C-alpha cells in the first residue's frame, strides 16, 4: 500500500530507521487502511527490549522504560511518543495476565492479538503483512477474533468488552456469529476483570459515534448485565432508545453524560455504589451525581425565556447544557434552541457572600447562611438580574432594624 502519512512523522520515522526489520502495528495500521485519522503509533521489532532501548538511545531518541517487563519502551522525539514492543509469544495466560517470551516470529506475535483488524503490520516502505485476513474484514465491517474466539477470550476476558467497542466503530451489519457465541459463553469470566479495566473499555465504547447497537448486543449476550447492571432490566436497556434519539440530535461523545442518559434519575446511594464498583474518578463520580440526583426537580420545559435560562445557569453552572440533554432523554421534547442559548450565555454570579452578612453585624452562625439563601432565592426568582446594590438592600431588609 502507499506509505500512509504517519510513517513520515518524525518519531515513527526515526524509530523504524533505528530498528531494521521493525514495523508499525495495530491501530495505526488499521485506521490508515480505514481512512480514519491516526493519533497514536505503535511499533514492534524482532529484538529483545534491552536491545531496542539501546539502539533507540544511540539514534538520539529519549527512551522511557514504561513497560519493560512486558517488552515495551516508549521512544520520544520532538515530544511525540511511540510505543515500541518486542515481538512476543504467550507462554501462559490466566484470563487477565499473560506470561510471554520474546520471539522473532512475526506471525506468532500477530497470532496473540485479539482481532484480525488489529493483527496487521506495516513496514516503513508500505509493505503490509496481514496473516489473518484483517484487511478484508475491515473492508467488510466484520470484527473477527484471531483464531478460535473462545481461546482468545480465555487468554484475556477483557477482549469481550473490546469486541463491542470495535464493533461499534468498525462493524457494519450482523456481528460475527462465532464471536458472539464465544462471548456469551465467556460472561462468567468477566468477574475476574478489574473495575478499572472494565470502566476503561466502557468509556471507550460510549465515546464511539453511535454505540447503541453494540450496547443492545451486549445486553442480549449478558455482558452488559454483568458489568453495568444499573442500565439493564429484563435483558434489555430501557433507556437505549432515548440515547439513540439524543445521538441523532447531536449528543456529544461524552462517556459520563451518555452513562447518565442510560442510568436515568437515581438515588445518591445507587450512584455511589455504581461509582465505587466501577472505580470512577472523583471528578467522574461527582459529575454523575450532579447530573442524576436532582432532588426531585422537574425537567426544564422547552422554550425557556431569558429569566428561566439564567436561573438554570445559576443553579447548574457548567452542567446546564447537560441537564437539558437529560431532560430530553426523560420526556423526548427537543430542547436544541435552549441548549444553543445556554452554551452561549455566561452563567450569572450571585453578587453577595457571607462576608456581606457579617458586615451588617450579624454574628457567625446558622442565620448567616439563612439570610444569604433568602436573598439568593429572591435573586433567582427575579431571573438573576438584580445587581449587588439591590441584593444588599434586600439583605438589610431581611436582617431587620438591628443590622448596621
Amino acid at each position: 500500500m502507499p506509505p500512509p502519512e504517519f510513517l513520515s512523522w518524525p518519531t515513527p520515522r526515526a524509530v523504524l530507521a533505528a530498528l531494521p526489520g521493525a514495523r508499525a502495528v495495530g491501530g495505526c495500521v488499521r485506521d490508515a487502511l480505514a481512512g480514519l485519522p491516526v493519533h497514536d503509533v505503535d511499533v514492534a521489532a524482532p529484538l529483545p527490549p534491552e536491545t531496542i532501548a539501546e539502539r533507540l538511545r544511540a539514534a538520539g531518541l529519549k527512551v522511557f522504560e514504561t513497560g519493560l517487563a512486558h517488552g515495551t519502551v516508549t521512544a520520544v522525539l520532538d515530544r511525540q511518543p511511540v510505543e515500541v514492543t518486542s515481538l512476543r509469544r504467550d507462554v501462559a495466560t490466566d484470563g487477565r495476565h499473560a506470561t510471554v517470551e520474546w520471539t522473532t516470529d512475526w506471525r506468532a506475535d500477530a497470532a496473540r492479538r485479539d482481532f484480525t483488524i488489529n493483527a496487521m503490520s506495516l513496514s516503513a516502505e508500505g509493505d503490509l503483512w496481514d496473516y489473518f485476513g484483517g484487511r478484508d474484514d475491515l473492508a467488510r465491517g466484520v470484527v473477527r477474533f484471531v483464531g478460535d474466539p473462545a481461546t482468545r477470550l480465555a487468554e484475556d476476558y477483557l477482549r469481550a468488552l473490546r469486541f463491542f467497542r470495535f464493533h461499534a466503530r468498525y462493524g457494519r451489519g450482523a456481528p460475527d456469529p462465532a464471536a458472539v457465541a464465544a462471548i456469551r459463553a465467556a460472561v462468567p469470566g468477566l468477574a475476574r476483570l478489574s473495575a478499572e479495566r472494565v470502566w476503561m473499555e466502557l468509556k471507550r465504547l460510549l465515546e464511539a459515534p453511535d454505540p447503541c447497537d453494540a450496547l443492545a448486543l451486549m445486553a442480549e449476550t449478558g455482558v452488559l448485565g454483568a458489568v453495568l447492571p444499573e442500565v439493564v432490566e429484563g435483558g434489555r436497556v430501557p433507556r437505549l432508545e432515548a440515547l439513540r434519539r439524543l445521538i441523532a440530535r447531536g449528543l456529544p461523545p461524552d462517556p459520563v453524560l451518555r452513562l447518565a442518559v442510560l442510568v436515568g434519575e437515581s438515588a445518591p446511594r445507587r450512584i455511589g455504589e455504581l461509582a465505587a464498583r466501577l472505580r470512577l474518578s472523583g471528578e467522574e463520580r461527582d459529575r454523575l451525581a450532579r447530573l442524576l440526583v436532582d432532588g426531585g426537580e422537574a425537567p426544564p420545559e422547552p422554550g425557556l425565556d431569558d429569566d428561566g435560562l439564567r436561573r438554570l445557569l445559576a443553579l447548574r453552572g457548567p452542567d446546564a447544557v447537560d441537564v437539558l440533554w437529560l431532560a430530553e432523554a426523560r420526556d423526548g421534547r427537543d430542547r436544541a434552541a435552549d441548549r444553543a442559548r445556554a452554551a452561549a450565555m455566561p452563567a450569572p454570579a450571585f453578587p453577595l457572600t457571607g462576608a456581606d452578612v457579617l458586615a451588617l453585624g450579624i454574628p457567625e452562625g446558622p442565620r448567616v447562611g439563612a439570610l444569604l439563601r433568602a436573598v439568593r432565592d429572591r435573586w433567582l426568582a427575579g431571573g438573576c438580574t438584580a445587581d449587588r446594590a439591590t441584593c444588599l438592600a434586600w439583605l438589610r431588609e431581611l436582617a431587620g432594624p438591628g443590622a448596621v
Side-chain angles (χ1 to χ4, degrees):
M1 61 182 287
E5 180 188 2
F6 75 81
L7 289 175
S8 66
W9 296 352
T11 312
R13 185 175 67 241
V15 167
L16 291 170
L19 302 171
R23 304 175 193 169
V25 295
C28 59
V29 181
R30 177 198 65 225
D31 288 344
L33 283 168
L36 297 174
V38 172
H39 301 291
D40 300 309
V41 177
D42 294 327
V43 167
L47 299 165
E50 296 81 3
T51 304
I52 289 174
E54 179 183 329
R55 293 191 181 185
L56 291 173
R57 289 191 178 101
L61 289 93
K62 292 183 180 178
V63 177
F64 299 91
E65 296 179 353
T66 46
L68 200 61
H70 304 288
T72 300
V73 300
T74 300
V76 179
L77 184 68
D78 296 336
R79 298 183 180 180
Q80 181 185 54
V82 168
E83 282 200 352
V84 188
T85 303
S86 299
L87 296 188
R88 298 171 291 182
R89 71 177 188 88
D90 291 337
V91 175
T93 59
D94 63 3
R96 296 176 63 192
H97 309 102
T99 302
V100 300
E101 66 180 15
W102 319 134
T103 181
T104 58
D105 186 337
W106 280 95
R107 185 183 179 92
D109 183 84
R112 68 183 299 276
R113 296 181 183 268
D114 49 11
F115 308 112
T116 62
I117 62 175
N118 294 335
M120 297 177 283
S121 56
L122 188 68
S123 73
E125 295 74 34
D127 298 315
L128 178 70
W129 281 266
D130 179 14
Y131 302 102
F132 305 106
R135 187 174 194 173
D136 182 55
D137 286 343
L138 189 63
R140 294 187 299 123
V142 175
V143 181
R144 190 167 57 87
F145 282 98
V146 172
D148 176 55
T151 301
R152 295 284 83 77
L153 288 163
E155 291 167 349
D156 185 354
Y157 288 107
L158 191 70
R159 288 170 172 170
L161 299 183
R162 286 171 60 83
F163 173 86
F164 296 104
R165 169 160 65 95
F166 284 105
H167 182 67
R169 289 187 178 272
Y170 302 96
R172 295 191 303 278
D176 178 55
V180 173
I183 288 170
R184 185 178 284 111
V187 167
L190 299 176
R192 306 183 65 183
L193 298 175
S194 70
E196 291 86 354
R197 296 181 84 200
V198 169
W199 176 229
M200 175 187 70
E201 284 300 324
L202 288 175
K203 279 200 294 188
R204 291 177 176 176
L205 170 61
L206 291 170
E207 289 170 343
D210 186 352
C212 292
D213 288 344
L215 287 165
L217 184 60
M218 288 178 75
E220 192 273 327
T221 57
V223 170
L224 197 59
V227 298
L228 195 58
E230 292 83 358
V231 308
V232 179
E233 293 178 14
R236 55 183 293 274
V237 186
R239 297 173 184 84
L240 187 61
E241 291 311 309
L243 178 62
R244 195 186 303 275
R245 181 177 66 247
L246 264 57
I247 287 173
R249 292 178 181 176
L251 182 73
D254 176 335
V256 174
L257 177 56
R258 290 183 172 188
L259 178 62
V261 172
L262 290 172
V263 174
E265 314 81 60
S266 199
R269 181 178 61 80
R270 189 167 184 238
I271 298 305
E273 290 172 353
L274 184 155
R277 186 171 53 75
L278 289 181
R279 303 283 178 86
L280 270 60
S281 70
E283 181 181 349
E284 291 167 339
R285 178 202 62 219
D286 293 346
R287 183 170 171 231
L288 191 64
R290 290 197 310 270
L291 293 176
L292 294 182
V293 183
D294 58 14
E297 297 172 15
E301 289 291 313
L304 289 171
D305 60 17
D306 286 350
D307 284 356
L309 201 57
R310 280 192 294 269
R311 274 194 293 273
L312 178 66
L313 285 161
L315 288 167
R316 306 306 292 261
D319 296 323
V321 174
D322 294 344
V323 167
L324 292 169
W325 277 118
L326 292 173
E328 284 190 37
R330 291 169 70 173
D331 62 23
R333 301 167 69 185
D334 193 340
R335 292 170 173 79
D338 291 337
R339 291 198 310 272
R341 290 168 58 222
M345 182 182 290
F350 180 54
L352 301 188
T353 67
D356 295 305
V357 183
L358 296 174
L360 295 179
I362 306 295
E364 290 187 10
R367 192 174 178 224
V368 173
L371 285 169
L372 206 59
R373 285 192 297 274
V375 176
R376 187 170 183 265
D377 287 345
R378 189 181 293 187
W379 175 77
L380 287 166
C384 311
T385 57
D387 60 12
R388 175 173 169 79
T390 302
C391 289
L392 282 171
W394 292 342
L395 176 61
R396 293 189 191 97
E397 174 191 334
L398 290 167
V404 175

